[in-house]
Amino acid sequence: MKIAVIGLGLIGGSIARRLRGFHNCTVSAYNRTADTLLLAKHDGAIDEGSVNAAEVFDDADLIILCLYPELNIEFVRNNLEHIKPGAVITDVSGVKGYMVRELEKILPPGVDFVGAHPMAGREVGGYQSSTDTLFEGASFLITPTRKNKPESVALIRELAEYIGCAHVVTTTPAEHDEIIAYTSQLMHVVAVALCDNPMIERSTFFSAGSLRDCTRVAVINEEMWSELFCENKDALSKRIAETEQSLKKIRLAVENGDREELKNIMRHATKQKMKWLME
């Protein structure tokens, strides 16, 4: 089996590091910088690599798209003639509805796209931040459609387990995007909003850790996250509106000096958090 990894950043590099021995595969990688390809080959993460995407796509049985969503689509569109009939394509993108819609427009019959999203990451990116333990104990989301072959979905599940993921969850592209809008994208929205408040400039010695914890993900890749926000705009807009309603409820209780209402809101939040931790 030939596996093509498109993009050797944090996720692509970490996947490549774990593929050794999977179906006795040969790992070929595309990256825009030759130095990264040389480093990955030296590390033993890949067998071969090229800055020419066509060379990497050629004869690949499994293609793993590890670029930003728009770039993933562009790479597939520009290399359709190099995609092997019967190949399976998957990705690691944080939006799934967009990926499915766009790829269904261009992929030839017989090429199977199975969307995926490993729930792992670090605050720093790039191949040099990749590790062979990034996915240990992580969740891995698979978003098949009715058009997918069962054997293609089974291959992606096997891949997820092979790289170390402990929980492989199958869901729909729509449900993925609805929930990820809350668990991931909204968290970045809140962190950015907190740092957009000019009060942060006066807060250097006034926080025991809460501000640091709540703004951890505000050091953000603006190219990637602005794209993800817009590609999932309907779901994310709903989550923002829901949060605005929660904030309004708390603000009104504060304005009215309504301690009982505040205590009720806090008790409910604590109950929900503890329930989530138990699950």
Side-chain angles (χ1 to χ4, degrees), residues 154-173:
L155 176 64
I156 304 307
R157 173 176 287 274
E158 186 182 358
L159 171 72
E161 293 171 348
Y162 192 86
I163 65 175
C165 294
H167 309 284
V168 184
V169 179
T170 301
T171 184
T172 65

Side-chain angles (χ1 to χ4, degrees), residues 141-160:
L141 309 180
I142 305 177
T143 59
T145 69
R146 286 175 290 182
K147 296 182 179 181
N148 289 141
K149 301 171 187 175
E151 56 267 32
S152 300
V153 179
L155 176 64
I156 304 307
R157 173 176 287 274
E158 186 182 358
L159 171 72

Side-chain angles (χ1 to χ4, degrees), residues 153-194:
V153 179
L155 176 64
I156 304 307
R157 173 176 287 274
E158 186 182 358
L159 171 72
E161 293 171 348
Y162 192 86
I163 65 175
C165 294
H167 309 284
V168 184
V169 179
T170 301
T171 184
T172 65
E175 183 178 48
H176 170 278
D177 290 352
E178 287 285 333
I179 298 176
I180 289 298
Y182 171 73
T183 62
S184 178
Q185 293 172 356
L186 181 62
M187 302 304 108
H188 288 77
V189 169
V190 171
V192 168
L194 288 169

Side-chain angles (χ1 to χ4, degrees), residues 7-17 31 66 92 120-132 134-135:
L8 284 178
L10 172 65
I11 302 298
S14 296
I15 289 174
R17 290 177 183 275
N31 203 70
C66 302
V92 299
R122 301 177 67 187
E123 293 175 38
V124 288
Y127 176 77
Q128 291 183 330
S129 300
S130 66
T131 73
D132 58 4
L134 185 67
F135 307 108

Side-chain angles (χ1 to χ4, degrees), residues 42-58:
H42 179 268
D43 289 344
I46 65 173
D47 297 296
E48 56 191 29
S50 177
V51 296
N52 183 339
E55 295 178 6
V56 178
F57 272 87
D58 277 336

Side-chain angles (χ1 to χ4, degrees), residues 57-270:
F57 272 87
D58 277 336
D59 297 319
D61 301 286
L62 173 61
I63 299 169
I64 306 174
L65 303 172
C66 302
L67 304 172
Y68 299 168
E70 287 180 359
L71 276 176
N72 283 333
I73 302 300
E74 180 183 336
F75 265 71
V76 171
R77 182 183 292 111
N78 292 341
N79 292 279
L80 286 173
E81 68 274 21
H82 296 281
I83 297 177
K84 180 179 179 179
V88 177
I89 302 177
T90 191
D91 74 323
V92 299
S93 304
V95 290
K96 294 275 80 79
Y98 170 82
M99 291 295 298
V100 170
R101 287 191 302 271
E102 294 303 310
L103 286 176
E104 283 185 348
K105 296 175 185 177
I106 60 176
L107 283 178
V111 175
D112 218 2
F113 171 69
V114 182
H117 186 190
M119 301 305 298
R122 301 177 67 187
E123 293 175 38
V124 288
Y127 176 77
Q128 291 183 330
S129 300
S130 66
T131 73
D132 58 4
T133 59
L134 185 67
F135 307 108
E136 291 295 334
S139 296
F140 190 100
L141 309 180
I142 305 177
T143 59
T145 69
R146 286 175 290 182
K147 296 182 179 181
N148 289 141
K149 301 171 187 175
E151 56 267 32
S152 300
V153 179
L155 176 64
I156 304 307
R157 173 176 287 274
E158 186 182 358
L159 171 72
E161 293 171 348
Y162 192 86
I163 65 175
C165 294
H167 309 284
V168 184
V169 179
T170 301
T171 184
T172 65
E175 183 178 48
H176 170 278
D177 290 352
E178 287 285 333
I179 298 176
I180 289 298
Y182 171 73
T183 62
S184 178
Q185 293 172 356
L186 181 62
M187 302 304 108
H188 288 77
V189 169
V190 171
V192 168
L194 288 169
C195 291
D196 190 46
N197 189 320
M199 285 297 295
I200 196 169
E201 298 172 11
R202 300 168 54 192
S203 304
T204 303
F205 301 109
F206 290 78
S207 174
S210 296
L211 182 61
R212 182 180 295 106
D213 293 343
C214 288
T215 59
R216 180 180 63 83
V217 295
V219 180
I220 193 169
N221 180 331
E222 71 276 8
E223 291 293 334
M224 180 179 76
W225 284 99
S226 61
E227 180 183 333
L228 293 173
F229 284 6
C230 291
E231 287 161 354
N232 200 26
K233 62 182 181 180
D234 292 340
L236 181 55
S237 294
K238 291 178 186 176
R239 301 294 87 81
I240 294 173
E242 292 161 359
T243 302
E244 289 172 340
Q245 288 301 309
S246 295
L247 288 171
K248 180 180 179 180
K249 182 169 60 174
I250 295 168
R251 177 177 61 80
L252 289 174
V254 171
E255 288 178 353
N256 295 329
D258 190 342
R259 290 183 63 186
E260 288 305 313
E261 175 64 7
L262 287 170
K263 285 191 284 186
N264 287 336
I265 294 169
M266 292 173 186
R267 276 194 291 263
H268 176 71
T270 299

